[in-house]
Amino acid sequence: MNEFPRELQEVFRSYREAMPDPEPSVNFTPVLWEKIEARRSSFTIMRRLTHGLVSLATAAALVLGVFVIPQVQNRRALSTSYAEVVAEEGNSAQEIATAFAAPLTPVTGVPAQ
Amino acid sequence: MLIDPEVVGRARTGDSQAFNQIVQACRKPILGTIRRLIGNPDDVEDVAQEVFVRVYYSLDQLRSDEGFEPWLYRLTVNAAYDYLRRKRRRHESRMSDLGEDQVTLAEAAEGTKKSADAVRKTKARELVESLLSNVSDQDRMLLLLKEVEGLSLKELERVYQVKENALKVRLFRARQRVLKAFEGRGSSVEEKSVEKKKEGDQ
């Protein structure tokens, strides 16, 4: 169906006649400009808000990078195991292994007086 | 609604006078299109102003100055659709507006103030509104742009930015629904008149 039957086409034609283009009111253009300006100021507020948020986020990232992260890294030493701390202090894995693997010899002699 | 591409070009660069020229040239046809698309005369100016605000802030998105009119139609259709969606959300049915029309019709039929032509137009308006209530808002707009605004398929293709075949399919389905409602309405009127006749005979 590429078009309506004639009767229905006539109905739509009458509808078009019954709904002519209305005349705009005297205030149409002034009110339009008011709306444009209002939208502009809301855009400006949004832009300022976005700039503020971006600045805040940058500052927060800097604070995190300069102060917080090094502190967290230092605190890591407290949560690491003894073996890890020893390893970090320069002992080789071999030394650690030897220290742990060395058999405990009972003290047989009487300390010299 | 013929806009010189040069005026559009100047408006794109922020020339307020050029923008005013566009508003002056387009506002009346746009008001008419919106009036027919939304079916509520009270909010027509509001929606039209919203269209022009969108035009003002998105002129830089227009690809070519020559494509201004389909683009304007697209913004108009979108604004009208947004309006209808908001209206539906507010639980305001279009029936209340139709009710207003019916009151007008009744006044026209009862009083002798309005001519027979005015009554015919009001009836046509009411009939089209009731027929279009059988299709979705999108299809309603598509049909109105095609059947009432007189846009060609090529123009609709540029407005909706879809392939002509897709539009044809959509139009076909929308027309079928409207035609079905139109024929159904005819038969229901016939049934009513038969019933009335029977009651009269008894």
Side-chain angles (χ1 to χ4, degrees):
Chain A
M1 194 198 310
N2 288 331
E3 54 184 35
F4 279 131
R6 209 176 188 152
E7 198 184 354
L8 207 45
Q9 278 182 24
E10 186 60 30
V11 169
F12 274 93
R13 202 183 54 76
S14 301
Y15 176 77
R16 177 72 180 82
E17 281 176 17
M19 301 273 271
D21 296 346
E23 284 297 330
S25 70
V26 186
N27 287 329
F28 184 86
T29 311
V31 172
L32 169 64
W33 277 105
E34 276 172 25
K35 288 183 177 180
I36 288 172
E37 290 306 320
R39 194 73 58 97
R40 196 198 307 275
S41 56
S42 67
F43 280 159
T44 312
I45 291 169
M46 283 298 287
R47 200 179 301 135
R48 280 184 188 160
L49 204 69
T50 313
H51 275 254
L53 284 172
V54 169
S55 308
L56 206 70
T58 313
L62 274 171
V63 169
L64 277 171
V66 174
F67 301 106
V68 181
I69 292 174
Q71 277 183 10
V72 171
Q73 278 175 340
N74 287 342
R75 217 176 292 155
R76 208 178 133 253
L78 298 175
S79 62
T80 50
S81 66
Y82 172 74
E84 284 167 336
V85 172
V86 170
E88 276 176 15
E89 280 174 358
N91 294 316
S92 69
Q94 183 59 44
E95 283 173 325
I96 297 165
T98 317
F100 279 97
L104 287 172
T105 47
V107 180
T108 49
V110 179
Q113 287 188 353
Chain B
M1 187 168 58
L2 281 169
I3 301 290
D4 188 349
E6 185 258 327
V7 176
V8 177
R10 280 196 288 124
R12 282 174 76 177
T13 59
D15 185 337
S16 302
Q17 276 192 333
F19 179 74
N20 266 340
Q21 260 181 277
I22 293 174
V23 174
Q24 298 291 330
C26 302
R27 62 184 183 178
K28 201 177 167 188
I30 289 297
L31 280 167
T33 304
I34 291 170
R35 185 185 176 189
R36 290 179 285 276
L37 289 179
I38 68 173
N40 180 5
D42 298 337
D43 298 326
V44 170
E45 285 217 345
D46 254 0
V47 180
Q49 282 160 347
E50 175 59 27
V51 170
F52 287 111
V53 170
R54 290 183 189 187
V55 168
Y56 185 84
Y57 283 109
S58 18
L59 260 173
D60 54 338
Q61 290 168 20
L62 183 64
R63 283 177 199 161
S64 74
D65 299 343
E66 288 77 20
F68 178 74
E69 279 177 47
W71 180 72
L72 179 61
Y73 264 113
R74 190 158 66 247
L75 292 186
T76 306
V77 169
N78 287 343
Y81 185 61
D82 289 347
Y83 165 83
L84 290 176
R85 221 168 23 188
R86 272 201 313 272
K87 197 179 163 194
R88 205 183 307 120
R89 225 178 283 155
R90 274 188 255 129
H91 300 289
E92 290 174 21
S93 72
R94 208 180 292 136
M95 290 307 287
S96 61
D97 301 326
L98 279 179
E100 209 171 274
D101 290 344
Q102 282 163 346
V103 171
T104 318
L105 178 65
E107 279 173 1
E110 283 169 14
T112 49
K113 285 178 188 173
K114 284 196 173 182
S115 65
D117 186 50
V119 176
R120 184 184 61 82
K121 282 178 179 173
T122 316
K123 277 184 178 172
R125 204 166 124 185
E126 196 190 273
L127 175 59
V128 169
E129 288 291 348
S130 78
L131 290 175
L132 292 176
S133 67
N134 292 287
V135 294
S136 66
D137 285 340
Q138 291 101 320
D139 286 351
R140 170 196 162 87
M141 288 184 196
L142 180 61
L143 276 176
L144 283 172
L145 289 178
K146 181 79 182 77
E147 305 297 337
V148 181
E149 303 301 317
L151 266 67
S152 67
L153 274 171
K154 284 276 168 221
E155 286 168 324
L156 285 173
E157 201 182 328
R158 291 172 74 191
V159 171
Y160 283 93
Q161 293 186 321
V162 291
K163 292 267 162 61
E164 196 177 314
N165 281 340
L167 276 173
K168 277 182 182 170
V169 170
R170 194 150 184 183
L171 270 170
F172 176 81
R173 286 179 185 158
R175 278 192 184 120
Q176 268 195 325
R177 282 202 192 108
V178 169
L179 188 61
K180 200 176 165 187
F182 184 67
E183 286 166 351
R185 178 195 150 274
S187 63
S188 68
V189 169
E190 275 170 25
E191 280 167 16
K192 277 179 191 171
S193 65
V194 169
E195 277 171 19
K196 274 188 182 176
K197 205 177 176 185
K198 276 182 185 173
E199 282 169 13
D201 289 344
Q202 284 169 358

